Amino acid sequence: QVQLVESGGGSVQAGGSLRLSCAASGYTLSSYCMGWFRQAPGKEREGVAIIASTQGTAYADSVKGRFTISRDNAKNSLYLQMNSLKLEDTAMYYCAAGPHSACYSNSWVAGARFDIWGQGTQVTVSS
């Protein structure tokens, strides 16, 4: 059974940091495009960051310079280091996997071509 499980969410004050993890089981993620997405209450889901099998990355403008996506293929895991967190970063965060081509689509921010999704981990940033 293919599964993605996120962890590491929680509550933090503005300016703080969190590190999200995503563990894959049932398949080997090394050849997949992996991404982090988020959805705040009342808002549409949006792409946060993606990382290709080649380690190439892309970020949403809203998180550039603050968030870092990484992957450890040996551990079959994906990570998101979030620094300088802002109130507007509050959301449910999801990891997702898709074919190689998903990382080379301009519509990645909408989650296009990502077909394996985790259940999410909540991040709450307070003042």
Side-chain angles (χ1 to χ4, degrees), residues 83-95:
N83 299 328
S84 302
L85 282 160
K86 302 177 180 180
L87 297 179
E88 53 263 41
D89 293 320
T90 295
M92 185 71 78
Y93 283 72
Y94 300 89
C95 71

Side-chain angles (χ1 to χ4, degrees), residues 1-67:
Q1 181 182 358
V2 175
Q3 194 173 14
L4 294 172
V5 179
E6 303 93 337
S7 61
S11 297
V12 64
Q13 287 191 324
S17 299
L18 282 175
R19 187 187 191 220
L20 305 184
S21 299
C22 174
S25 61
Y27 77 105
T28 301
L29 62 76
S30 60
S31 62
Y32 284 76
C33 171
M34 301 295 297
W36 286 99
F37 298 80
R38 66 187 182 186
Q39 187 168 20
K43 294 187 177 181
E44 292 188 355
R45 183 184 64 199
E46 62 176 354
V48 175
I50 55 171
I51 184 167
S53 58
T54 57
Q55 302 288 344
T57 59
Y59 295 89
D61 288 343
S62 59
V63 306
K64 280 181 182 176
R66 300 189 298 121
F67 290 11

